[in-house]
Amino acid sequence: MSADGLVEAYLKELATAAAVLPAGRRTELIGDMTTHIAEARAEGATSEDDVRGVLQRLGDPQDIVAAATEGLVQVEVPPRFRLREFAAVALLLVGPFFLVIGWLAGVWLLWTSDRWTRVEKLLATMGWPIGYVVAMICDYTLGLPLGLTLVIASVATVVPLIPLLKNGRPGRSATRTRSSAPNPQPTANRL
């Protein structure tokens, strides 16, 4: 692995370990470590072995994060169903009535959200097209009455949205912590 690759892997591991920290503290910690590495490299640590030595002196990312959390009281903040998620579900449901532009906006909000899995996003995206196909099959192929066709098509459209409502609140990547103490100064500065 090259020197740049070692630094990139180290910082990626640090960012993963620091995910438990409040956002501001996490950014500060990663910035401090990046600065220390850059300073060491500017002072002549350019070879792979030199960079490996610098990273070893800094310490294991898990230990750095553990030191950064000393004195912090971690409080779980329950994730909320944000306005963005409400808008995504609402636009997916009624968007096609607004010249499809609303549905496209709902699809964009859906796919740019961090609250749902790809499978849930794919099913919700296909809700209206599936409902339309079901309506066509019920009407033309099966010859069902219009009222029954609309009910079946509506169910086929709404069912893929149910997991969005169910799973939008917990937010798989929305677990956050808040510090009840001020952010302490970095304790892992060991260069």
Side-chain angles (χ1 to χ4, degrees), residues 2-106:
S2 70
D4 291 336
L6 287 171
V7 171
E8 184 179 329
Y10 183 85
L11 292 175
K12 185 175 182 179
E13 184 179 346
L14 180 63
T16 301
V20 297
L21 295 174
R25 181 67 184 116
R26 179 176 56 242
T27 302
E28 178 185 353
L29 179 66
I30 293 170
D32 287 347
M33 293 299 109
T34 303
T35 301
H36 287 303
I37 293 168
E39 288 172 356
R41 292 187 79 183
E43 291 173 2
T46 55
S47 73
E48 182 180 331
D49 290 335
D50 292 341
V51 170
R52 197 178 306 272
V54 168
L55 298 178
Q56 286 176 348
R57 283 192 302 277
L58 283 174
D60 182 69
Q62 297 291 336
D63 295 338
I64 293 171
V65 171
T69 58
E70 288 179 18
L72 291 180
V73 176
Q74 305 259 332
V75 179
E76 288 291 323
V77 176
R80 296 178 305 205
F81 201 72
R82 303 176 294 197
L83 179 61
R84 174 188 181 94
E85 279 72 41
F86 277 120
V89 174
L91 288 170
L92 287 169
L93 186 59
V94 298
F97 294 114
F98 300 108
L99 301 174
V100 184
I101 294 170
W103 180 77
L104 291 173

Side-chain angles (χ1 to χ4, degrees), residues 124-150:
T125 300
M126 297 306 296
W128 265 100
I130 288 170
Y132 184 73
V133 168
V134 167
M136 298 296 285
I137 290 170
C138 288
D139 190 35
Y140 294 114
T141 306
L142 301 176
L144 297 176
L146 181 61
L148 184 58
T149 297
L150 291 176

